[in-house]
Amino acid sequence: MGASETAGKAAAVAHRVLLVSDRDADAELIRALLESTNADPAFHFDHTHTLSQAFENLERSEVDVLLVDAGEGEGRELAEASQARVRAPLVPVVLLVDTDDEVLALRAVEVGVRGYLLKSAISPGALTWSLHHAIRNQRMFVELNIARERARQLASYDELTGLANRMLFHDRLEQAVAAVRRNRDRLAVLFFDLDNFKQINDSLGHLAGDALLRLVGQRIGSCLRKSDTGARLGGDEFAILLTHLDDEEDAEKLAAKVLDRLHEPLSSDADSPAISASIGIALFPRDANDTEDLLRQSDAAMYQAKAAGRDRVARWKPEPGGPRAAMHSALDRRLREALEGGELVLHYQPVVDVSRGRIVGAEALLRWRHPKHGLVLPGEFLPIAENTQLILSIGGWVLRSACAQAARWQALGHPGFRIAVNVSPQQFQPEDFVRQVRATLVETGLRPDCLELELTERSLLHDGERTLAQFAMLRGLGVRIAIDDFGTGYSALAYLKRLPVDTLKIDQSFVRALATDPADATITATIVQMAHALNLTTIAEGVETVEQMQLLGSFGSSRMQGYLFGPAVEPDVLTRQFEEPPFWWLRDAH
Ligand code: C2E
Ligand code: MG
Ligand code: MG
């Protein structure tokens, strides 16, 4: 290690190059090459043996470009390059390889590497060009991002308060509603109208009115989490979009908190006007069918708050016996009949291990075979069941049927076959859930380690200690636990270390963007690395293309499910697929 100034005569500030290579001979070669150039600006060369030393170095001093020696390839070094992109996203990485490899080169592009140099063909010119090019490119990229961010800021934010404007709020709301439909989550809209703003504005003047609005914006902003969106919709109307709503009460708690903050005196001056607001809350999907409906209900709730005397919070309530309440209870009744009448069925989506080219398990997915509407997907009816006790009966039935079916497949000669069963957060709450799982295993004769319970990150947020105890008991039975849709919720990485889980299911949203968005590729590669470091299995969901499959395979995640291998099908169809996997091509493609 050590630094040396090369071509010190240059006037411009030298570019600092940090080489990560465990081979001293190669380091000497690069040093000599850099010394032999007359590039302006010159290069300041430094060398470390490992990436972690390089990170230490990066913390101490600025580095303009990282030159990473990929050695023999093997993909491990590419992982290092992507790790560098995560730890030091502003420092461009140039890869140095021993042998020319097209696949490696392409993957390098995907993880965001900015240059690729073949050692045997390296020359002072090629080296200088690559390093300067990487640095310039990176700077342009950063500047472009800053400019883009500024433009976005102007178009999407309210100038007075800095909160989102109406347009951005609508955009975010639409995206959030779509995500809720996908993940069967819930969200809330809080709609604010300041009380008496007009009088304040009229009596104190527009400037004072603006200052007041700015202050309200600040106070609202100070109550929000990063994932929430605060907006000024216009005039004295504000709104908050609250996503990943774990508990319905949380929306009301936040509204009360904002109201408290608004009440704080404006100044020590006793005559200063008091601020208050009327706040209406509506939830999706509970109170509304879509975005427009949701905004309408939150607005209506705000009027209820005003009518009840202002300076208060109102939750949207259906008119007693109104159309929505009636629809909910009718659906609930129909669903109960469906469960009792055998209209609910399970379909099974194969989980494959691409490194072995085999089906290794399946996920049980619920369907409603509706006599009139045909096959109805769970997103359409499970949220209704989850609002009542019905989910407990449905969940119990799913668990028993899926375990019985898995035991049947095992008996047909697939002894290690593993069945994944989705569990709703509500199911996880009652004390006897563990007992129910144990009884089901005894009844069906399924080996506990062949059952994997899938929980979403949402379920983990409830009552931390009790959840941990439940997990420990389930693990005590030998049952496996997976985190479903990993990456879409809070996913505190530190939390993972504490949780006794076995598997992370990488959410479709990451897989979908894998081949097109380097950031997603990097996140996914990092999730896989982290999971493996914690001794967890990963299963990638929603794999639809060969390209996605190959990328995931290269990250070391070989278990996958998705339309590429097949959708969820009736049990008999899956039985036939065991004999004749429809993805026979897999061994060759991989
Ligand atoms: P999930 O557990 O994440 O299940 C994966 C969903 O992705 C399934 O949707 C599946 O059909 C779909 N999928 C699979 N491969 C692909 C692909 O390549 N591309 C795309 N675009 N989609 C793919 P489905 O069956 O509509 O289920 C939705 C969600 O409903 C499930 O998400 C799960 O959270 C829940 N769910 C399903 N069955 C049950 C159940 O028995 N109990 C509980 N509590 N929840 C269930
Ligand atoms: Mg699942
Ligand atoms: Mg999932």
Side-chain angles (χ1 to χ4, degrees):
M1 243 183 286
S4 76
E5 194 79 41
T6 57
K9 57 257 173 213
V13 179
H15 283 329
R16 273 154 302 215
V17 182
L18 178 58
L19 171 70
V20 185
S21 172
D22 54 6
R23 282 173 291 188
D24 288 337
D26 285 350
E28 280 318 307
L29 170 79
I30 301 292
R31 181 197 300 276
L33 277 172
L34 288 177
E35 276 175 358
S36 70
T37 73
N38 284 319
D40 183 16
F43 293 108
H44 178 282
F45 178 79
D46 229 338
H47 168 216
T48 66
H49 287 106
T50 66
L51 198 61
S52 48
Q53 283 168 357
F55 288 144
E56 278 172 28
N57 209 316
L58 279 168
E59 274 158 27
R60 279 199 312 272
S61 63
E62 274 179 39
V63 168
D64 293 306
V65 58
L66 264 180
L67 194 54
V68 176
D69 187 350
E72 308 290 332
E74 296 162 5
R76 184 174 59 85
E77 290 73 9
L78 206 55
E80 289 200 334
S82 53
Q83 214 176 321
R85 299 275 302 120
V86 176
R87 284 281 296 266
L90 295 181
V91 182
V93 174
V94 172
L95 206 62
L96 204 56
V97 296
D98 281 0
T99 43
D100 195 18
D101 176 346
E102 239 176 82
V103 177
L104 182 71
L106 280 177
R107 278 190 358 232
V109 174
E110 270 141 21
V111 299
V113 166
R114 296 225 183 265
Y116 180 90
L117 281 164
L118 185 60
K119 268 186 222 160
S120 58
I122 205 165
S123 64
L127 185 60
T128 305
W129 188 86
S130 286
L131 295 177
H132 274 277
H133 183 69
I135 294 168
R136 258 192 85 160
N137 235 324
Q138 181 71 18
R139 288 187 181 160
M140 270 158 54
F141 176 78
V142 170
E143 274 161 24
L144 197 70
N145 267 345
I146 293 172
R148 206 182 279 156
E149 179 58 29
R150 240 184 241 133
R152 202 176 61 89
Q153 187 88 18
L154 286 177
S156 321
Y157 292 87
D158 171 47
E159 238 177 296
L160 193 60
T161 60
L163 296 175
N165 64 16
R166 182 180 281 274
M167 212 173 65
L168 179 62
F169 186 76
H170 268 262
D171 259 15
R172 294 249 173 102
L173 184 60
E174 247 153 40
Q175 278 173 26
V177 161
V180 164
R181 288 209 169 101
R182 223 173 29 243
N183 302 325
R184 300 187 308 100
D185 204 351
R186 58 168 95 91
L187 61 78
V189 167
L190 280 64
F191 198 104
F192 295 65
D193 191 274
L194 299 185
D195 299 328
N196 308 324
F197 177 73
K198 200 170 170 318
Q199 283 98 306
I200 296 172
N201 208 28
D202 288 350
S203 60
L204 299 179
H206 287 287
L207 279 182
D210 280 359
L212 186 77
L213 290 173
R214 216 175 287 126
L215 188 76
V216 169
Q218 273 166 15
R219 291 188 175 177
I220 291 180
S222 72
C223 297
L224 301 180
R225 298 171 307 178
K226 233 178 156 176
S227 53
D228 305 330
T229 301
R232 177 166 166 243
L233 302 181
D236 61 344
E237 278 178 8
F238 291 82
I240 295 178
L241 163 62
L242 207 61
T243 52
H244 299 304
L245 195 62
D246 187 37
D247 195 326
E248 296 191 353
E249 314 272 281
D250 288 351
E252 270 153 281
K253 283 191 199 137
L254 176 68
K257 186 169 145 196
V258 176
L259 217 44
D260 275 349
R261 283 247 41 207
L262 292 181
H263 290 158
E264 286 171 18
L266 292 178
S267 66
S268 48
D269 181 355
D271 290 336
S272 77
I275 316 180
S276 73
S278 303
I279 308 180
I281 301 179
L283 305 182
F284 180 83
R286 168 169 273 211
D287 302 337
N289 292 323
D290 56 32
T291 319
E292 289 313 311
D293 206 15
L294 182 60
L295 286 171
R296 217 172 8 250
Q297 319 290 41
S298 60
D299 190 36
M302 188 274 290
Y303 276 104
Q304 286 168 16
K306 279 227 187 289
R310 310 184 159 204
D311 192 16
R312 66 193 63 216
V313 182
R315 258 288 305 275
W316 183 80
K317 274 195 227 66
E319 308 263 311
R324 182 178 301 279
M327 188 185 82
H328 267 243
S329 74
L331 252 173
D332 192 66
R333 199 166 346 102
R334 254 313 269 126
L335 198 50
R336 194 177 298 278
E337 286 166 13
L339 173 66
E340 284 156 10
E343 285 173 20
L344 294 188
V345 292
L346 286 179
H347 280 186
Y348 296 87
Q349 182 174 37
V351 175
V352 301
D353 182 339
V354 295
S355 65
R356 292 195 281 161
R358 279 184 29 199
I359 299 179
V360 290
E363 175 172 3
L365 292 164
L366 187 61
R367 271 93 183 94
W368 179 358
R369 196 173 280 140
H370 195 283
K372 248 202 341 255
H373 305 305
L375 211 58
V376 185
L377 294 177
E380 303 284 315
F381 61 89
L382 268 184
I384 296 160
E386 283 176 341
N387 274 332
T388 68
Q389 295 289 308
L390 191 53
I391 189 63
L392 301 181
S393 323
I394 293 181
W397 174 82
V398 167
L399 186 67
R400 280 192 307 280
S401 317
C403 289
Q405 181 58 53
R408 242 170 270 144
W409 276 320
Q410 292 193 339
L412 280 175
H414 311 287
F417 178 89
R418 186 174 291 152
I419 187 78
V421 177
N422 292 287
V423 176
S424 291
Q426 293 84 343
Q427 269 176 280
F428 204 63
Q429 293 304 307
E431 293 292 336
D432 72 343
F433 180 66
V434 179
R435 212 172 323 129
Q436 186 191 348
V437 173
R438 189 193 298 120
T440 306
L441 290 170
V442 171
E443 182 188 315
T444 57
L446 185 70
R447 250 175 45 201
D449 64 314
C450 293
L451 171 63
E452 186 152 86
L453 298 176
E454 292 192 2
L455 286 137
T456 57
E457 293 169 47
R458 258 193 308 150
S459 338
L460 308 179
L461 293 173
H462 279 289
D463 205 355
E465 291 312 314
R466 225 172 66 75
T467 307
L468 278 179
Q470 295 261 61
F471 271 39
M473 284 193 277
L474 286 169
R475 289 290 265 350
L477 294 180
V479 168
R480 294 173 59 95
I481 296 180
I483 304 204
D484 205 351
D485 307 336
F486 184 78
T488 57
Y490 299 90
S491 301
L493 294 185
Y495 202 51
L496 263 188
K497 234 177 24 192
R498 276 184 28 163
L499 280 178
V501 299
D502 304 274
T503 301
L504 296 187
K505 298 198 74 171
I506 301 171
D507 189 63
Q508 307 187 2
S509 53
F510 293 114
V511 175
R512 197 173 306 129
L514 208 53
T516 48
D517 185 344
D520 277 88
T522 310
I523 294 171
T524 312
T526 311
I527 292 178
V528 174
Q529 271 176 33
M530 175 200 69
H532 290 177
L534 293 170
N535 246 334
L536 304 177
T537 307
T538 51
I539 299 179
E541 296 185 287
V543 179
E544 294 181 350
T545 67
V546 172
E547 203 180 4
Q548 290 165 346
M549 176 190 80
Q550 284 172 332
L551 270 171
L552 287 160
S554 75
F555 298 156
S557 181
S558 61
R559 284 179 182 245
M560 307 178 191
Q561 63 186 88
Y563 296 159
L564 179 63
F565 314 104
V569 289
E570 289 173 20
D572 289 349
V573 179
L574 192 68
T575 308
R576 284 197 293 278
Q577 291 184 1
F578 273 120
E579 316 308 329
E580 239 177 282
F583 36 88
W584 49 267
W585 43 267
L586 201 129
R587 274 209 187 91
D588 307 330
H590 188 63

